[in-house]
Amino acid sequence: EIRVDASIDYGNGDIQAFSGELLRQGDTVLDLLENLERREGIALEKRNFPGLGIFIEAIHGVHNTNNSYWQFWVNGEYAQIGAGQYGLKDGDKVLWKRTSEF
C-alpha cells in the first residue's frame, strides 16, 4: 500500500484537497482520480484514445475549453505522460488543474 496526496484546482479559485489517499503499489494517477470518483462522488468525463490512453474531458462538471484543459503535476513537475501510464510512489503529491499553462 502507498499513500498519496491529491488536489484538484478547478481554475476558478475552487480547490479540493485529499490527503493520505490509500492506493496499491503500481496504481496510476488515473487510478487515484477514479478512486476519488467512487469514494468522494467527483464526477469524471473521460475519453479513450486507442494507442494514447484516457483523456480527462471534465472533472466534477468543469469541462475543457478551447484554451483551458485538465493537466496534472506530480511533486510539482508537469507530467510528460498520460495519467493512465504515470505510476505513483508512496508520498507523491498530485495536482490536477484546469489551465492553459505548461
Side-chain angles (χ1 to χ4, degrees):
E1 294 183 336
I2 62 172
R3 289 195 180 270
V4 300
D5 294 337
S7 298
I8 303 172
D9 182 342
Y10 293 92
N12 59 5
D14 190 14
I15 299 173
Q16 287 181 290
F18 307 91
S19 60
E21 291 297 312
L22 189 61
L23 298 170
R24 294 182 311 268
Q25 192 73 37
D27 276 357
T28 66
V29 171
L30 182 61
D31 292 323
L32 169 64
L33 200 55
E34 289 174 338
N35 282 354
L36 292 173
E37 179 182 33
R38 281 189 299 275
R39 209 181 64 258
E40 302 291 335
I42 294 173
L44 299 178
E45 292 181 36
K46 305 173 277 191
R47 186 186 307 179
N48 185 23
F49 288 92
L52 295 175
I54 301 292
F55 184 73
I56 301 299
E57 298 276 345
I59 299 177
H60 220 49
V62 179
H63 290 82
N64 294 325
T65 66
N66 288 338
N67 57 5
S68 286
Y69 44 95
W70 286 102
Q71 301 175 59
F72 72 94
W73 287 257
V74 178
N75 301 324
E77 304 256 336
Y78 178 69
Q80 301 294 318
I81 60 175
Q85 289 79 39
Y86 198 114
L88 291 168
K89 298 182 294 303
D90 192 48
D92 279 347
K93 295 181 182 342
V94 177
L95 169 64
W96 277 95
K97 185 175 181 182
R98 185 172 163 266
T99 181
S100 58
E101 301 169 22
F102 283 100

